[in-house]
Amino acid sequence: MSFLLRGSPRAGANFCTFLRTPLSRFYATNAKYTKYVPVSGSYPKGFNVGGIHCGVKKDGKSLDLALVTSELPCTAAAVFTKNVFKAAPVIVSRAMLDARNGQGVRGLIANSGCANAVTGKGGMEDAEAMGKTVDQLVGEKKAATIVMSTGVIGQRLPIQKILSGIPTAFEQLGQSHEAWLSVAKAICTTDTFPKFMSRSFTLPGSSTEYRIAGMAKGAGMIHPNMATLLGFMATDAPVSSESLQGILTHAVERSFNAISVDGDMSTNDTVAILANGAAGGEMITPNSNLENSLRALITEFAEDLSKLVVRDGEGATKFVTVRVQDAKSFEDAKQVASTIARSPLVKTALYGRDANWGRILCATGYSGVADVVPEKTNVSFIPTDASKELKLLVNGEPENVDEERASQILAMEDLEIRVSLGTGGGQEAVYYTCDFSHEYVTINGDYRT
C-alpha cells in the first residue's frame, strides 16, 4: 500500500463479487478461516456500530453498508492511497480531516460493492451526500464523517439506496460483538472471512482500562501503500490529534504499508482511526511516555490486523514473512523486503514448493538498494514448527540444499524468508506476502464476467 497522510478495474474490492468468484470463497466455514474470526471481544466505550444490506450488492442479502458513530466527538487520523486516481471518498475524507484538523469527528460510513472511483463530479457529490446524511443523524452541521467505498472502478454508486439505507443502519446501531462483526462483514468483497480484532489494554502509570477494535478488508490489489484495502480502528483512549496522526503513520508504515498480495495499488485505500476518550484518563500528547506506549501497542495491533489481509490473499496457499536483516537503514531493509515480496518469480516458486533461492537473490539485487555486500549475504528458509533453519546461501556461497527438506518447509502454511545483507548496519525490516497460485489467475481473469 502506499498511503498519503490524511490527505479496471477495481478498488478495495469488487462490484459484484458473486459473479466473479465461487460462493465457497466467501465466509468459508472450514477451520482454515473460522479460526481467524473472533467469537467475542472487548470493545471501546461510546461507539455505536452496525452493518446492513442496502442493495449495492445484487444478491439481496450480503451486508454492504457499514456505519460507525461516536457518542463523543473524536480525534481522528487517516492515511490514504498514493494512487494518482484517488477515489471520491478519499478526496472527501481527506478534506474533512484537514478542515477539522483531526478533531470533532463523529463517525464513519462505508459501502462495499462499488468503489465510487473515477466517477467525476457526480461521484464527489455522492460521497459528500453519504457523509452529510450521517452528519445530520448525529447532529453535526459541519462535515464530520469519514467516507469509504470499495468495489469496481468507474461505476456510479446506487446512491439513493445508500442514502435510504443510512437511517436504517443508524436505527439498528449497537455495541455488541455481533454489531461490530456486522461492520467487518459489510466492508467485505472478495474476502473469504471478515478481518476483525479487539483488545483491552492499560498504559504505564495508569490503572485505566482502554479498548481498541479494528477491522480491514482486502484480498487482492494489495501492495504497499495500501492497495484495495480499507482499514479502521477505534479506541476509547484520550489521544490528541497530533499524537494520533503520528501514531497511525508509524503503525501503518510497519503494517498496512508492509504487505503485498499482487503488487497493484488501488484508488480507494484508506486506513483511519478514531479516539473518543470515553474511558477517561490522562490525555495522550506528543513526546510523552504514554504516546510511546500507545504507539507500540497500536503498531502491534495494526500488524496483526494487516496479516489477516495477506492470509486471505486471492488464491493464496501460504503466508510468508520476508525478514531482511543487517541493512544500513530501516528504509533499505524495507525496500529489499518489498522487492522480494512482490516478485512474481519468487511468489510462483513458493507456490510450486521450489527452493529457487536465486530468485530471492535476484530480487535483492535489483531492489535499488546499493548497500548490499554480496560476499556477506545470507539467505535462509525459516520453518514455523521451531525446527532448524534451512540455509540456502551463506556469505555469498551456495549451500548444498536438501531439496526434500526445502519442499517440506515450503509445504507449510506459514514460513519465513530471511535475508541478511551483510553491511554491518544492523537494521531490519519485515514484509508480509503470499504466493501466486492458479486460483489467483482464475479469480482475476473472471473479475467482471
Side-chain angles (χ1 to χ4, degrees), residues 228-290:
T228 230
L229 183 146
L230 301 182
F232 168 68
M233 293 176 281
T235 180
D236 53 14
V239 192
S240 72
S241 58
E242 296 84 0
S243 281
L244 196 62
Q245 186 64 59
I247 287 170
L248 182 65
T249 301
H250 178 92
V252 166
E253 190 63 22
R254 290 156 178 80
S255 58
F256 294 106
N257 270 352
I259 61 175
S260 182
V261 169
D262 51 18
D264 273 2
M265 185 196 304
S266 167
T267 54
N268 290 54
D269 303 329
T270 303
V271 172
I273 186 169
L274 300 178
N276 66 6
E282 180 182 347
M283 178 65 69
I284 298 166
T285 56
N287 304 314
S288 64
N289 290 333
L290 290 176

Side-chain angles (χ1 to χ4, degrees), residues 14 16-17 19-21 440-449:
N14 136 29
C16 192
T17 23
L19 291 181
R20 60 165 287 209
T21 308
Y440 177 85
V441 177
T442 300
I443 289 170
N444 285 280
D446 294 339
Y447 194 82
R448 297 204 308 164
T449 58

Side-chain angles (χ1 to χ4, degrees), residues 67 198 270 292 301 309 349 363 378:
L67 178 60
S198 66
T270 303
N292 293 336
F301 186 85
V309 176
N378 299 289

Side-chain angles (χ1 to χ4, degrees), residues 42-293:
S42 180
Y43 302 108
K45 297 178 180 179
F47 287 97
N48 297 296
V49 305
I52 67 167
H53 172 79
C54 73
V56 182
K57 293 178 180 174
K58 303 300 184 181
D59 69 329
K61 60 181 180 180
S62 295
L63 304 185
D64 54 16
L65 187 65
L67 178 60
V68 175
T69 66
S70 175
E71 296 167 0
L72 299 172
C74 300
T75 55
V79 291
F80 300 102
T81 183
K82 289 182 179 178
N83 194 305
V84 172
F85 292 97
K86 294 173 179 61
V90 168
I91 297 170
V92 167
S93 295
R94 187 177 182 186
M96 183 276 293
L97 289 171
D98 286 345
R100 284 188 167 271
N101 196 29
Q103 301 176 34
V105 176
R106 294 296 303 278
L108 176 148
I109 183 71
N111 75 273
S112 59
C114 181
N116 191 16
V118 197
T119 46
K121 180 180 178 181
M124 291 290 294
E125 292 172 349
D126 290 346
E128 291 169 352
M130 288 172 64
K132 185 176 181 180
T133 301
V134 178
D135 295 336
Q136 292 172 341
L137 290 170
V138 298
E140 292 289 337
K141 295 181 179 180
K142 181 182 176 183
T145 301
I146 294 170
V147 181
M148 297 180 179
S149 295
T150 179
V152 165
I153 297 168
Q155 298 182 4
R156 289 287 299 276
L157 291 169
I159 190 62
Q160 291 308 316
K161 291 181 179 180
I162 293 174
L163 299 183
S164 297
I166 291 174
T168 302
F170 186 78
E171 292 173 1
Q172 298 178 17
L173 295 179
Q175 299 181 346
S176 66
H177 170 75
E178 290 71 22
W180 281 93
L181 184 57
S182 71
V183 175
K185 290 182 177 180
I187 62 174
C188 288
T189 53
T190 59
D191 307 69
T192 60
F193 63 91
K195 300 154 186 71
F196 171 53
M197 296 165 40
S198 66
R199 288 175 189 166
S200 298
F201 63 95
T202 57
L203 296 173
S206 173
S207 60
T208 304
E209 182 180 67
Y210 299 110
R211 299 165 187 82
I212 185 170
M215 58 202 66
K217 65 79 48 190
M221 203 180 275
I222 305 295
H223 180 58
N225 305 328
M226 289 186 346
T228 230
L229 183 146
L230 301 182
F232 168 68
M233 293 176 281
T235 180
D236 53 14
V239 192
S240 72
S241 58
E242 296 84 0
S243 281
L244 196 62
Q245 186 64 59
I247 287 170
L248 182 65
T249 301
H250 178 92
V252 166
E253 190 63 22
R254 290 156 178 80
S255 58
F256 294 106
N257 270 352
I259 61 175
S260 182
V261 169
D262 51 18
D264 273 2
M265 185 196 304
S266 167
T267 54
N268 290 54
D269 303 329
T270 303
V271 172
I273 186 169
L274 300 178
N276 66 6
E282 180 182 347
M283 178 65 69
I284 298 166
T285 56
N287 304 314
S288 64
N289 290 333
L290 290 176
E291 183 192 55
N292 293 336
S293 297

